[in-house]
Amino acid sequence: MKIVLASQSPRRKQILSQFDIELRCVSHLFDESSVSNKKDPAKYCESISKGKADSISDKYNEEIIIAADTIVVLDQKILEKPDNKEDAVEMLKALSGRTHQVITGVTCIHNQSRLNATFSDLTLVKFYEMDDEYIDYYIEKYKPFDKSGSYGIQDFSSIFVKSIDGCFFNVVGLPVSKIFLLLKQRGALKFSLNTDNTNDNI
């Protein structure tokens, strides 16, 4: 199976690389700033994922194209990537001791099977109360300026996490089980996966 990931994200690449697939990572051609309506966070990241996938869809026919966009949402406000250290500190202090949403919008395109589908997945993440010294250390050491919400759950910030309700990989950046289930249901993927007992709708 050949998959084109419309992303240079090392985290998404690492998730997909654990499977027996032929993976190629390419840069998308979509201007993310063109999506300005943030009133519905799920629709917002879905629109960005679709824009990313559509921007390269005419270049690949046999391959399955996957594009994604992950956001952190607190009190219905999207926490973007921080502009600087002060911005990152403010975000992490806002998340301290509270539950927030992590939403990933995903688009999968496979021209051969006429698949063009977009969905989103939501995970609830609760943080412990965080001391300022740990926040400062994390930002100085790991520089999370390329991450929505100013943290990456797979690194040192994992010590901030009290609980997760939903898919862990969705928080990392790719709800991989839902993606593979979608590809199987739509005929783009051929392998055996018993889904008789699932009530999840994609």
Side-chain angles (χ1 to χ4, degrees), residues 128-141:
Y128 286 106
E129 293 281 352
M130 297 181 286
D131 294 336
D132 291 350
E133 62 181 304
Y134 285 106
I135 291 176
D136 289 339
Y137 172 81
Y138 174 65
I139 295 171
E140 287 290 339
K141 179 73 174 180

Side-chain angles (χ1 to χ4, degrees), residues 9 38 98 110 134 138 142 172-173 194 202:
S9 165
K38 301 179 181 180
R98 301 191 61 193
H110 187 227
Y134 285 106
Y138 174 65
Y142 293 89
V172 179
N194 185 354
I202 297 178

Side-chain angles (χ1 to χ4, degrees), residues 12-30:
R12 295 188 179 117
K13 179 181 179 181
Q14 184 178 24
I15 291 173
L16 290 175
S17 293
Q18 63 186 312
F19 301 99
D20 184 21
I21 59 177
E22 184 177 331
L23 178 64
R24 180 179 179 184
C25 298
V26 302
S27 297
H28 64 82
L29 305 173
F30 182 64

Side-chain angles (χ1 to χ4, degrees), residues 56-126:
I56 63 168
S57 63
D58 60 345
K59 297 182 179 182
Y60 304 97
N61 187 48
E62 297 181 0
E63 298 89 346
I64 297 168
I65 298 169
I66 298 176
D69 185 68
T70 302
I71 58 174
V72 171
V73 181
L74 181 67
D75 297 331
Q76 287 300 304
K77 178 183 178 182
I78 297 173
L79 302 186
E80 306 281 3
K81 297 173 183 177
D83 294 326
N84 48 48
K85 179 181 177 180
E86 291 73 22
D87 199 19
V89 168
E90 183 178 346
M91 287 186 191
L92 289 175
K93 284 187 175 181
L95 295 173
S96 178
R98 301 191 61 193
T99 299
H100 61 273
Q101 300 175 336
V102 178
I103 306 174
T104 299
V106 178
T107 296
C108 298
I109 295 177
H110 187 227
N111 292 323
Q112 278 193 344
S113 61
R114 297 182 180 180
L115 168 67
N116 191 327
T118 299
F119 68 93
S120 59
D121 195 30
L122 184 152
T123 301
L124 296 177
V125 181
K126 185 172 184 178

